[in-house]
Amino acid sequence: LQREFPGIDFVVESKADAKYAPCSAASVVAKVMRDRLLEHWKFSQGSSQDDEGEKLLRQFGSGYPSDPTCVAWLDNNPLRDPVFGYSDFVRFSWAPCKDRLADAAIPVVFRADLDEEELQQQKGMARFLGTNGRKRKRLEYFEKRNIRVAKPICQL
């Protein structure tokens, strides 16, 4: 912030909203705005839920991990998918979300997240297993949902 606003001194500390009145006011405004946005949130994945299901989908609580309603929503969310996780409504970097996905979701490794040595290990393993150039059996998950590759993103 100081680079963007030279000449203004900023204080960054834990529990600042309890210590500084302007920070308290900003915190209240942010929470009220968040609640208003969430009240009218449209899930980008859509919902095939009936009215009762839609109500349950919206009972997400406060968004704090100590809130039992929030925890129940994370655990029982009908839009949670074993491959794609939660909808874009949930911040995936949030620890309670990450923990649940680590426990219940299908593990995914993105090539972009691998360093060069790991990429070479993957290529070597593919050669060892003889998977280069050969099609392997499609996973049942994709077969059942008739999900097909339109165009390969990249190949090992």
Side-chain angles (χ1 to χ4, degrees):
L1 284 172
Q2 287 179 318
R3 266 193 314 238
E4 296 296 321
F5 302 98
I8 298 176
D9 292 327
F10 292 93
V11 175
V12 178
E13 62 184 75
S14 161
K15 305 289 182 192
D17 57 338
K19 298 176 186 175
Y20 304 100
C23 194
S24 297
S27 179
V28 169
V29 170
K31 287 174 184 166
V32 168
M33 290 305 298
R34 181 197 65 192
D35 291 347
R36 285 187 182 168
L37 285 168
L38 295 179
E39 190 177 322
H40 302 289
W41 185 268
K42 300 273 190 241
F43 291 93
S44 64
Q45 289 80 359
S47 171
S48 60
Q49 307 291 318
D50 56 15
D51 287 343
E52 192 61 33
E54 186 68 28
K55 282 182 198 169
L56 288 171
L57 195 59
R58 295 194 162 279
Q59 292 176 354
F60 38 74
S62 66
Y64 292 100
S66 59
D67 177 359
T69 304
C70 181
V71 170
W73 186 88
L74 283 170
D75 290 338
N76 305 310
N77 187 308
L79 292 182
R80 186 172 74 182
D81 183 89
V83 174
F84 302 108
Y86 295 96
S87 68
D88 60 0
F89 179 73
V90 178
R91 192 178 70 227
F92 282 60
S93 61
W94 186 44
C97 173
K98 284 171 73 171
D99 294 343
R100 280 167 179 77
L101 292 177
D103 292 342
I106 295 169
V108 176
V109 176
F110 294 96
R111 292 186 79 217
D113 292 340
L114 299 175
D115 63 21
E116 191 59 37
E117 183 178 326
E118 290 171 309
L119 278 173
Q120 292 307 319
Q121 286 177 351
Q122 276 195 352
K123 288 179 183 179
M125 185 60 72
R127 278 193 297 276
F128 174 75
L129 295 172
T131 55
N132 283 353
R134 281 195 262 151
K135 282 193 169 187
R136 60 184 163 90
K137 185 180 176 201
R138 293 179 54 74
L139 294 174
E140 182 182 0
Y141 177 87
F142 298 104
E143 210 49 59
K144 279 183 177 178
R145 289 161 179 80
N146 199 26
I147 298 173
R148 303 278 179 233
V149 175
K151 183 177 179 184
I153 296 173
C154 61
Q155 296 177 355
L156 284 175

